Amino acid sequence: MTRTAPRNSASPDRRALASPQEVADYLGVPVPTLYQWKYRGIGPQVHKVGKHLRYRWTEVDAWLDRNVDLAA
């Protein structure tokens, strides 16, 4: 499995869209958690591409910035 680039990376090999597995690995949560967040409307914005779910890295980073727990 390939690893995603770190946040805010200007790396040219970082794709604009990510699979649920890539986002789950990046956030350190299980894929079913992403699906639950989607169902509840509380996770990063997700897009359907054909029959596949994809995330935009910019939206994942923006969501993370809004929802980071500063007390941790």
Side-chain angles (χ1 to χ4, degrees):
M1 179 185 305
T2 59
R3 294 184 55 90
T4 58
R7 280 183 70 208
N8 300 322
S9 172
S11 174
D13 64 339
R14 182 166 168 184
R15 297 180 299 149
L17 296 177
S19 69
Q21 184 64 59
E22 291 171 316
V23 173
D25 290 345
Y26 179 61
L27 296 176
V29 300
V31 171
T33 298
L34 288 178
Y35 294 148
Q36 184 180 63
W37 289 349
K38 177 188 178 300
Y39 176 78
R40 295 173 60 195
I42 62 173
Q45 187 171 356
V46 63
H47 307 276
K48 283 196 84 171
V49 179
K51 64 178 182 174
H52 304 282
L53 295 178
R54 293 293 180 257
Y55 295 84
R56 287 189 175 119
W57 283 114
T58 54
E59 293 171 349
V60 172
D61 286 336
W63 175 85
L64 186 59
D65 289 341
R66 288 190 309 272
N67 291 283
V68 67
D69 184 2
L70 298 175

